[in-house]
Amino acid sequence: MAHIQLSLMYIHTLASFQNLASIFAQFAVNLLFSEDFLLSFGQKYKDVEPTLKIKEVDGLELVKKFSEEMESMLRRKVEAVERLVEAAEDADLNHEFNSSLAFDYYNSLLINEKDENDNYVELGDEFILEPNEHFNNLLVNTTYSDVQLPTNVYNKDPGILNGVYMSEALNPIFVDNFQRDPTLTWQYFGSSTGFFRLYPGIKWMPDENGVISFDCRNRGWYIQAATSPKDIIIVVDISGSMKGLLMTIAKHTIITILDTLGENDFVNIIAYNDYVHYVEPCFKGILVQADRDNREHFKQLVDELQAKGVGTVNKAVLESFKILREFREAGQGGLCNQAIMLITDGAVEDYESVFEKYNWPDRKVRVFTYLIGREVTFAQNVKWIACNNKGYYTQISTLADVQENVMEYLHVLSRPMVINHDHDIIWTEAYMDTQSLLLMTTVAMPVFSKKNETRSHGILLGVVGSDVPLRELLKLAPRYKLGVHGYAFLNTNNGYILSHPDLRPLYREGKKLKPKPNYNSVDLSEVEWEDQDEILRTAMINGETGYLAMDVKVPVDKGKRVLFLTNDYFFTDISGTPFSLGVVLSRGHGEYILLGNTSVEEGLHDLLQPDLTLANEWIYCITDIDPDHRKLSQLEAMIRFLTGEEPDLECDEDLVQEVLFDAVVTAPMEAYWTALALNMSDKTEQEVETAFLGTRAGLMRSLLYVGSEKLSNRQFLTLGDKESIFTMDHFPLWYRRAAEHPPGSFIYSITSEEGSGNPRLSTTEKEGDGENKRVTHSPLQNGLVSPVESLGTLSLTFLSSLSPFITLSVQTGKFFGEVDGSVMTQLLNMGMFRQVTMYDYQAMCKMPYHHHSGARPLLSCRPALCLSVPQSSFLTSSLFAIAAHKHKKHDMLQPCDTEYPVFVYETTIKETNGLIECGDCQKMFVAQQIANSNLLLLVTDATCDCSIFPPVLLEAKECDRMRSQKLRRRPDTCHAFHPEVQ
């Protein structure tokens, strides 16, 4: 078939086209392997069939078991934090403040630094650092912690020195915690004075400007542990007197306040001069959730503010009280603390009547005032407002003053909790570790002064916390129990995703992977978007236990293809946390588990073959507790366990038994592949590059038929190609696609070698109900089939039937609609393909450049185009998709929502043909499905110009990001007021 000579003289009728299609359709039967390929493997299963057992999976029992194990694991982290809290409070109780205290400590910025005389600098003594695999191979000291301070905090301030000295008592507790629970990661104490004690100790590096900007008091875990949920309205003076530096300080103050808010808080910003402006007109008269989207959006709008006119504070304050009262009475918002943050350079009019009418005598709303500038003429007035409304007054003269002065309001809000000594345990939303780019959650607790003489003052000493990698939680929901399409996921009380296999928190900017701006505020409804009535979302947010079935469309292969599945969702809460766990089992593949029976001796023999590997991200044996085990691969660990070399290893016995069974059943494949290689003619170029097989237990066998220098894609089946291997999140793409086809059929796909453009044919074969897959990869060269067949004036194209991507053609790998819009349009009209609309609520789009003034609304208030939810006044997203900040480049990527088409083959139509009227000529075509494959053969007339038909494109269409406020569950505790707090 390498060279096919046909002449137009033999092709005069449509029947000739059909005959040609039938001839070419025969090639699939012998394209890569004979029937023996299927029979040899299937026969082995038949041999062991009498020993097999099939167990039905109980989804509710499974999700409850996973939840209990996760609760137990998280409880150990809580206990570690509780021990630190107790140690810190006792240390403070026994410490007397000494204003002249002098001692050296390990400053994380200065450790191991020497001066010109080769002496260690002050606070920079020798601090041994060694790489540690448990901490992402960072250089750490696991015997001691060290201390980090922001650049604007003096490292020898008496308050700092006393706090650091007192917190030295935490060192033995850090070490003891880590010994008790070797899965612990970072442990730390963030002080209210600004220092941060971290274990294990590390070397802290400044940014490119030589500045340490990290301040523990700005972190979500600190703020959530120190205060209860907050409804905040920021009121900023933008009158003419605020021009220049004062306006710059005011903007920085607003941004710093926004940084103290989290997803349990609600916020809005009102600017005033001659009249009241909402900085975001779409948010008029409401509060919005202070998630990352909205905070970043507000920051962009604040930067647009311009000072002009005359300031009258009364109307702005009046508007603020109305909003807060409406939310309070309607049971909306944070349902705890309410506050107004007034930022101004002075207040002169009669404002007392507003407070008297709307806030006295109960003073349910605290008012915090920030006097901007050095002028003290109006200081008394601004201070009166705060002191008569249970708030706090501060003056901010320079940019350097902003951070410390803003933090004061947190101390005021924390006092009721501190006086009561309510040690609430908080768990944060997902956040990304900048070193490993792994998603984490933090468990944190506040630390109080227990001294009797200070108890009534409610002194918050700081917050203790520990990080928990979310991957560690998902290890407790092993993939082999969930089936080929199954998965587990976690979400928060606000409906945001903690972990989900379809969460895409990173995007590529140039050569760098960076977190998306809204990576930790992706809603459950944005990944499980088929849940249009939000039944699943509502139940999980309410912490219910239950079951739901849904027909879903699952995108695979980076959205090019779609799988149509019926999924069963099982869900429950994780006790003691604001999290809920969901487990998804697909009908068919997730309903049953195949249990085989084989001896350890027989299985071990076949496990030791060189062609076999295991999914290294799966937990066959726990290797991260004992440091001596951490360098073992999962296969090495299992073999040591089975041979008795490491009897103390804790292994999953069910999974080990599955692996042993699969190893025995798949053992004949090595001999078969070797025989196939020997039968290949040495005179012809190799037809097959790689053959490999995968099983539900994560076992893979592979055979390389050519030297690595001849591989058309050297990245295939490597750790760098996550789509092709078993991971914690997904079975391989080839496995998932093959699972949806009848046993014995072949799945073909096409990829191109990066850089060369040489096409490579990939074939997957499904092997019966055992869900084992075999795949071969072949270069499309002479001896097999050419990617470019010249048939006179005919054009031959092989299309993948899952979606019309060209497999063999001049345009290999392209979407067929781009190449020939006329035929693709006709195939759609005839029903051979149908278009399915998909949605991506985690897309990144280039933003158009729009210049606008502060008085012009940045965003359109149009209703949602993509989401079938009504527009309401309570908005939770920031509408990033409409416009970009004027100072950002127009080609910057920002979060957006898109809808895009996917084209699916209708399997009931095996063949079709037709004529297309193209003006001066008629274009004939015939399409026929190739038996036992996912290929269609398409033959068309290449001489007729049908360019009058536009191409059919796969372009995504951007949608507005406006969404209605969704159901959320407020935190269980609230500490808003205490009789002893004025």
Side-chain angles (χ1 to χ4, degrees), residues 63-79 181 427 468 472-473 476 490 572-577 579 581:
V63 75
K64 289 176 183 177
K65 179 176 181 291
F66 290 165
S67 172
E68 289 170 1
E69 291 176 350
M70 291 180 181
E71 177 192 348
S72 176
M73 182 259 215
L74 295 178
R75 182 63 208 167
R76 292 196 298 272
K77 315 307 178 191
V78 171
E79 289 168 355
D181 181 3
W427 292 91
V468 181
E472 296 301 314
L473 274 178
L476 301 175
L490 296 158
T572 190
D573 69 325
I574 300 177
S575 181
T577 76
F579 307 146
L581 169 68

Side-chain angles (χ1 to χ4, degrees), residues 17-185:
F17 276 79
Q18 292 170 316
N19 291 335
L20 183 63
S22 298
I23 293 170
F24 278 95
Q26 300 302 314
F27 97 100
V29 177
N30 299 307
L31 183 59
L32 291 177
F33 291 113
S34 67
E35 288 292 323
D36 293 339
F37 191 83
L38 173 62
L39 294 175
S40 63
F41 192 32
Q43 185 60 46
K44 186 64 178 179
Y45 268 106
K46 289 195 175 293
D47 293 342
V48 299
E49 191 172 348
T51 67
L52 296 180
K53 293 181 181 179
I54 295 178
K55 178 184 176 183
E56 186 172 359
V57 178
D58 186 329
L60 273 177
E61 180 184 333
L62 197 65
V63 75
K64 289 176 183 177
K65 179 176 181 291
F66 290 165
S67 172
E68 289 170 1
E69 291 176 350
M70 291 180 181
E71 177 192 348
S72 176
M73 182 259 215
L74 295 178
R75 182 63 208 167
R76 292 196 298 272
K77 315 307 178 191
V78 171
E79 289 168 355
V81 168
E82 288 174 335
R83 285 191 286 270
L84 289 169
V85 169
E86 183 179 1
E89 292 185 348
D90 287 345
D92 176 70
L93 181 62
N94 297 319
H95 173 73
E96 291 294 329
F97 186 87
N98 180 359
S99 59
S100 59
L101 178 65
F103 83 105
D104 289 337
Y105 61 91
Y106 289 117
N107 184 301
S108 62
L109 177 66
L110 302 174
I111 55 172
N112 299 327
E113 294 288 326
K114 292 185 177 182
D115 58 22
E116 62 276 8
N117 298 320
D118 202 34
N119 296 318
Y120 288 109
V121 300
E122 192 176 22
L123 304 182
D125 205 353
E126 181 182 13
F127 194 75
I128 297 173
L129 297 171
E130 297 175 332
N132 190 303
E133 289 185 17
H134 186 64
F135 294 94
N136 304 306
N137 281 318
L138 289 175
L139 296 172
V140 301
N141 184 320
T142 54
T143 61
Y144 218 77
S145 63
D146 59 3
V147 174
Q148 175 269 344
L149 297 102
T151 298
N152 64 336
V153 176
Y154 178 43
N155 59 25
K156 284 206 163 186
D157 179 272
I160 295 294
L161 287 176
N162 277 268
V164 171
Y165 181 80
M166 175 273 293
S167 65
E168 291 275 310
L170 297 180
N171 276 307
I173 313 302
F174 285 140
V175 175
D176 181 61
N177 280 343
F178 191 41
Q179 290 174 346
R180 293 187 190 208
D181 181 3
T183 65
L184 276 174
T185 56

